[in-house]
Amino acid sequence: MTTITTHIGGATITVPNAELAPFVPPPQTRITAVAFKRRFTSTERIAIRAAAQANAQVYDYMDLLNSGLAVHVTDADVIAGLQALEAAGVIAAGRAAQILSAPIQAEEAPA
């Protein structure tokens, strides 16, 4: 049994352990900018840099990524930018989903 004491009037409520759900931390959605870029292959990174020289949208996306220390993989701009890279043929179809959905490893997470 787990005993919980309220702060209102000092009343004591006894709650069985079975009723207490274990704490589950929220999923990690931030990754360091370097780790995010490492999710691309070397060939993809080179193609992205080349595309950025000719395409203002790709340049703007990469400029945003280069501006921060961390990338939020659930951010609408991050998702849209990856989808734009796919649509432009800079990265293969399906790569955006792979890059965004890969579990964030402890060494990839910001300190």
Side-chain angles (χ1 to χ4, degrees):
M1 292 282 201
T2 299
T3 303
I4 300 172
T5 304
T6 68
H7 298 290
I8 302 172
T12 301
I13 302 169
T14 302
V15 181
N17 284 334
E19 292 182 30
L20 297 177
F23 174 74
V24 177
Q28 176 67 267
T29 61
R30 288 183 345 133
I31 184 171
T32 67
V34 171
F36 182 77
K37 291 175 187 177
R38 285 182 179 149
R39 289 184 170 205
F40 295 93
T41 66
S42 176
T43 301
E44 288 172 333
R45 289 193 305 269
I46 291 166
I48 291 167
R49 282 194 288 280
Q53 293 176 358
N55 183 312
Q57 184 181 11
V58 174
Y59 179 87
D60 183 57
Y61 176 65
M62 295 311 298
D63 186 55
L64 286 174
L65 288 180
N66 291 331
S67 297
L69 299 176
V71 175
H72 292 263
V73 296
T74 56
D75 181 82
D77 288 336
V78 171
I79 295 166
L82 282 175
Q83 291 170 339
L85 292 174
E86 274 189 6
V90 179
I91 60 175
R95 283 293 289 142
Q98 289 175 343
I99 291 165
L100 293 170
S101 67
I104 296 173
Q105 304 302 312
E107 64 273 8
E108 294 180 310

